[in-house]
């Protein structure tokens, strides 16, 4: 069976949010330095450079999406006016925005979002 490769990049953004219907402190506006981890995979290396894809292409694609969230109050961003801007929903939003924007030789595997180092939410599709 032929092998595959996975590439992982990490980036971050800063934003505030409120979790509607939470019933606790997180229902109040508060901020995070969110960490974002993007994993892509593929099975064919570039014939000239012998890499799956240049890391900078994945980073730029991620950056373009995160710029829409960075230094914003996420509850006011169109995609979160009806659903909570939880780590789970942020990960899903980034995934859905990225999956068709990546270079064709890779497939988006998963996106994780963390509010702090000790916990993260990961979204993927099968």
């Amino acid at each position: 069976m032929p092998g595959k490769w996975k590439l992982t990049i990490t980036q971050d953004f800063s934003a505030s949010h409120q979790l509607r219907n939470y019933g606790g402190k997180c229902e109040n506006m508060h901020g995070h330095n969110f960490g974002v981890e993007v994993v892509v995979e593929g099975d064919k290396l570039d014939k000239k450079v012998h890499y799956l894809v240049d890391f900078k292409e994945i980073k730029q694609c991620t950056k373009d999406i995160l710029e829409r969230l960075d230094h914003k109050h996420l509850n006011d961003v169109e995609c979160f006016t009806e659903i909570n801007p939880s780590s789970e929903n942020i990960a899903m939003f980034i995934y859905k925005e990225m999956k068709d924007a990546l270079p064709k030789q890779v497939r988006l595997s998963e996106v994780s979002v963390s509010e702090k180092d000790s916990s993260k939410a990961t979204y993927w599709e099968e």
Side-chain angles (χ1 to χ4, degrees):
M1 180 161 94
K4 291 186 176 192
W5 291 269
K6 283 190 176 187
L7 303 180
T8 303
I9 62 101
T10 58
Q11 292 192 345
D12 55 54
F13 71 98
S14 299
S16 64
H17 69 164
Q18 298 167 266
L19 296 180
R20 300 173 198 95
N21 305 311
Y22 181 78
K25 287 183 181 180
C26 291
E27 202 159 344
N28 298 322
M29 183 175 16
H30 61 285
H32 296 284
N33 293 318
F34 290 94
V36 176
E37 183 178 277
V38 174
V39 180
V40 301
E41 62 183 57
D43 57 9
K44 291 185 179 146
L45 297 183
D46 175 88
K47 291 182 185 199
K48 182 177 178 184
V49 184
H50 302 128
Y51 62 16
L52 187 61
V53 65
D54 195 330
F55 282 112
K56 71 181 179 183
E57 289 186 63
I58 304 165
K59 289 178 181 178
Q60 186 61 53
C61 184
T62 306
K63 181 181 177 203
D64 291 344
I65 294 164
L66 297 185
E67 283 181 358
R68 296 163 47 194
L69 306 176
D70 191 37
H71 284 80
K72 302 278 177 25
H73 180 58
L74 298 179
N75 297 67
D76 294 338
V77 176
E78 183 179 347
C79 55
F80 298 117
T81 57
E82 299 294 321
I83 64 169
N84 263 331
S86 62
S87 293
E88 292 87 346
N89 284 332
I90 297 167
M92 181 174 63
F93 167 76
I94 296 168
Y95 184 99
K96 290 185 179 293
E97 293 296 305
M98 281 196 82
K99 72 178 182 180
D100 294 327
L102 287 168
K104 299 301 177 207
Q105 68 270 29
V106 295
R107 183 183 75 78
L108 185 57
S109 177
E110 62 187 44
V111 173
S112 298
V113 171
S114 59
E115 296 178 2
K116 54 186 173 179
D117 290 339
S118 62
S119 52
K120 68 181 177 180
T122 302
Y123 179 83
W124 71 95
E125 296 179 352
E126 302 200 14

